[in-house]
Amino acid sequence: MELSSKKLEKAVNEMAQLPGIGKRTALRLVLHLLKQPKEQTQFLAEALQNMREEIKFCNNCNTLSDNDICEICANPKRDKSIICVVEDIRDVMAIENTGLYKGLYHVLGGRISPIDGIGPSQLSIFPIVEKVKAGEVKELIFALSSTMEGDTTNFYIYKQIQEYSINVSTIARGIAIGDELEYTDEVTLGRSLLHRIPFEMSIKNA
Amino acid sequence: MELSSKKLEKAVNEMAQLPGIGKRTALRLVLHLLKQPKEQTQFLAEALQNMREEIKFCNNCNTLSDNDICEICANPKRDKSIICVVEDIRDVMAIENTGLYKGLYHVLGGRISPIDGIGPSQLSIFPIVEKVKAGEVKELIFALSSTMEGDTTNFYIYKQIQEYSINVSTIARGIAIGDELEYTDEVTLGRSLLHRIPFEMSIKNA
């Protein structure tokens, strides 16, 4: 695409580097910015740069944070004896949005996937084992995606902490709230039958 | 959406101001930037700010430009006696991409639309009339969208320059290349019959 301005072209090209943003979308976004007050572009640029330059990873749980220790880990109201193991920062956000979890997190940064060249050493697995060894942890909840790689990662971590007497659980797999039975795949439906829970429990937490 | 970092939240909120970018997409884009080298964010931020601060509108044709006169108007190879009237900067880009037009442009900045409160005075119509009066122009091509507002704008401009002996044309409306006749709306099909062209001409320009 030939543009009449080199500056516009540069802005469009940089914007089009973002995932899922093609040249046309980038142009639409950049032209939108041109129609808005100059401050909007300035705020956007500054927010992005500040974020990229100054954001940190929490020393304890590995999630994104403004300080060395994130707000979740620093919160005295959170139960430090429960740790939920997740792959990604986005998983932390998803679980936080439920408002039903009051423990801490540990972000692995991915899952074991030999096909992508990701082994246990590239993930933040060692710190979990250390925490368990130190006796700080009563329960470990695996909340990884239910894929081959997620299961492998769960099992790898489980093997390392097996000898310590803590509870290890995984989040429930089953039919999503609002879903119809007949459209559910048989593996999920099968698992939801095997791992059925007492009816009273399901009413209590609804 | 509660995020663990205020800086991240600010970047996401600014990103989500862009049209068609929701909070989730904004988060995805911002997290992508975090995985890339710091330079990428810096380049993006600088390109956007440079573009917004320094870009100009061409004094002659009103399109986006790095200088007072855009590259198209400054190009000695372009035919200055033909002016194509368009609504928007994006239309200039679209026509430039065809590589078939060698005249100049004039960007109106919109179309007459009383319902949106846009009258002739808000558009860059006066400069066209001035150019025609000055005798610089041999042909004026209307390339506005074929809507009620586009037609009104065409007609308004036409009325102002009617008395001068120049050619005034509009781009051809008809069935798009590759389209099937049976799926074309009857107005377009009807027009394409009325405005049929000699067969030899259609081969020559193919």
Side-chain angles (χ1 to χ4, degrees):
Chain A
M1 189 156 44
E2 277 279 318
L3 302 184
S4 61
S5 155
K6 288 275 165 285
K7 291 197 177 77
L8 183 72
E9 205 166 309
K10 214 173 154 192
V12 169
N13 285 341
E14 287 293 334
M15 206 70 157
Q17 303 252 332
L18 295 172
I21 308 263
K23 288 250 171 143
R24 262 166 204 272
T25 309
L27 180 62
R28 191 166 54 80
L29 298 178
V30 169
L31 289 179
H32 170 83
L33 283 175
L34 273 175
K35 281 184 194 157
Q36 303 299 312
K38 283 188 181 179
E39 289 74 38
Q40 188 177 335
T41 308
Q42 200 191 327
F43 289 157
L44 171 63
E46 281 171 6
L48 288 178
Q49 274 185 310
N50 273 341
M51 185 272 304
R52 188 66 187 87
E53 293 291 331
E54 291 169 29
I55 214 163
K56 293 169 184 165
F57 289 92
C58 172
N59 286 342
N60 190 40
C61 74
N62 216 11
T63 193
L64 287 172
S65 166
D66 290 337
N67 308 304
D68 290 335
I69 298 292
C70 75
E71 283 176 33
I72 297 170
C73 289
N75 187 343
K77 286 184 186 156
R78 312 278 306 211
D79 185 347
K80 292 183 170 45
S81 66
I82 307 178
I83 292 181
C84 179
V85 180
V86 294
E87 285 171 30
D88 200 3
I89 295 145
R90 270 179 285 187
D91 303 329
V92 175
M93 292 166 190
I95 297 176
E96 280 300 284
N97 280 342
T98 67
L100 288 174
Y101 180 64
K102 295 296 165 211
L104 302 187
Y105 295 93
H106 189 89
V107 180
L108 293 176
R111 49 197 182 199
I112 297 172
S113 173
I115 215 162
D116 302 311
I118 301 172
S121 58
Q122 270 111 316
L123 304 177
S124 170
I125 290 176
F126 181 70
I128 306 179
V129 183
E130 286 297 298
K131 281 179 203 169
V132 172
K133 260 189 197 169
E136 297 166 17
V137 185
K138 280 192 197 136
E139 183 172 0
L140 210 61
I141 305 170
F142 288 129
L144 278 72
S145 53
S146 69
T147 56
M148 180 91 98
E149 289 86 8
D151 290 346
T152 309
T153 314
N154 285 342
F155 194 67
Y156 182 88
I157 300 172
Y158 179 67
K159 276 293 195 186
Q160 314 252 325
I161 54 161
Q162 209 174 4
E163 49 187 306
Y164 305 96
S165 61
I166 62 164
N167 293 321
V168 181
S169 57
T170 78
I171 55 171
R173 309 289 178 186
I175 294 156
I177 310 284
D179 265 15
E180 309 242 12
L181 242 66
E182 58 171 322
Y183 302 121
T184 310
D185 66 294
E186 53 271 44
V187 182
T188 304
L189 188 54
R191 277 245 224 154
S192 79
L193 274 167
L194 276 178
H195 300 152
R196 63 193 176 276
I197 56 162
F199 182 64
E200 284 88 358
M201 212 198 271
S202 78
I203 313 174
K204 212 177 67 185
N205 295 323
Chain B
M1 190 155 45
E2 277 279 318
L3 302 183
S4 60
S5 155
K6 288 275 166 286
K7 291 196 176 78
L8 183 72
E9 205 166 308
K10 214 173 153 192
V12 168
N13 285 340
E14 287 293 335
M15 206 69 158
Q17 304 251 334
L18 295 172
I21 308 261
K23 286 249 171 147
R24 263 165 204 274
T25 309
L27 180 63
R28 191 166 54 79
L29 297 179
V30 169
L31 289 179
H32 170 84
L33 283 175
L34 273 175
K35 282 186 194 156
Q36 303 298 313
K38 283 189 182 180
E39 289 74 39
Q40 189 177 334
T41 308
Q42 200 190 326
F43 289 157
L44 171 63
E46 282 171 6
L48 289 178
Q49 273 185 310
N50 273 341
M51 184 272 304
R52 188 64 187 86
E53 292 291 331
E54 292 170 28
I55 214 163
K56 293 169 184 165
F57 289 92
C58 172
N59 286 343
N60 190 40
C61 74
N62 216 11
T63 193
L64 287 173
S65 166
D66 291 337
N67 307 305
D68 290 334
I69 298 293
C70 75
E71 284 177 32
I72 297 170
C73 290
N75 187 344
K77 286 183 186 157
R78 311 280 304 214
D79 185 346
K80 291 182 172 43
S81 65
I82 307 178
I83 292 182
C84 179
V85 180
V86 294
E87 285 171 31
D88 199 3
I89 295 144
R90 270 179 285 187
D91 303 329
V92 175
M93 293 166 191
I95 297 176
E96 279 300 284
N97 280 341
T98 67
L100 287 173
Y101 179 65
K102 294 296 165 212
L104 303 188
Y105 295 93
H106 188 90
V107 179
L108 293 176
R111 50 198 182 198
I112 296 173
S113 173
I115 215 162
D116 302 310
I118 300 171
S121 57
Q122 270 110 318
L123 304 176
S124 170
I125 290 176
F126 182 70
I128 306 180
V129 182
E130 286 298 295
K131 282 180 203 169
V132 173
K133 260 189 196 167
E136 297 166 17
V137 186
K138 279 191 198 136
E139 183 173 359
L140 210 61
I141 304 170
F142 288 129
L144 277 71
S145 54
S146 69
T147 56
M148 181 91 98
E149 289 86 9
D151 289 346
T152 308
T153 314
N154 286 343
F155 194 68
Y156 182 88
I157 300 172
Y158 179 68
K159 275 293 195 187
Q160 314 253 323
I161 54 162
Q162 208 175 5
E163 48 185 307
Y164 305 96
S165 61
I166 62 164
N167 293 321
V168 181
S169 56
T170 78
I171 55 171
R173 308 289 177 186
I175 293 156
I177 311 285
D179 265 13
E180 308 242 12
L181 241 66
E182 58 171 323
Y183 301 121
T184 309
D185 66 294
E186 54 270 45
V187 182
T188 304
L189 188 54
R191 278 246 224 152
S192 79
L193 273 168
L194 276 178
H195 301 153
R196 63 193 176 275
I197 56 162
F199 183 64
E200 283 88 357
M201 212 198 270
S202 78
I203 314 173
K204 214 176 66 186
N205 295 322

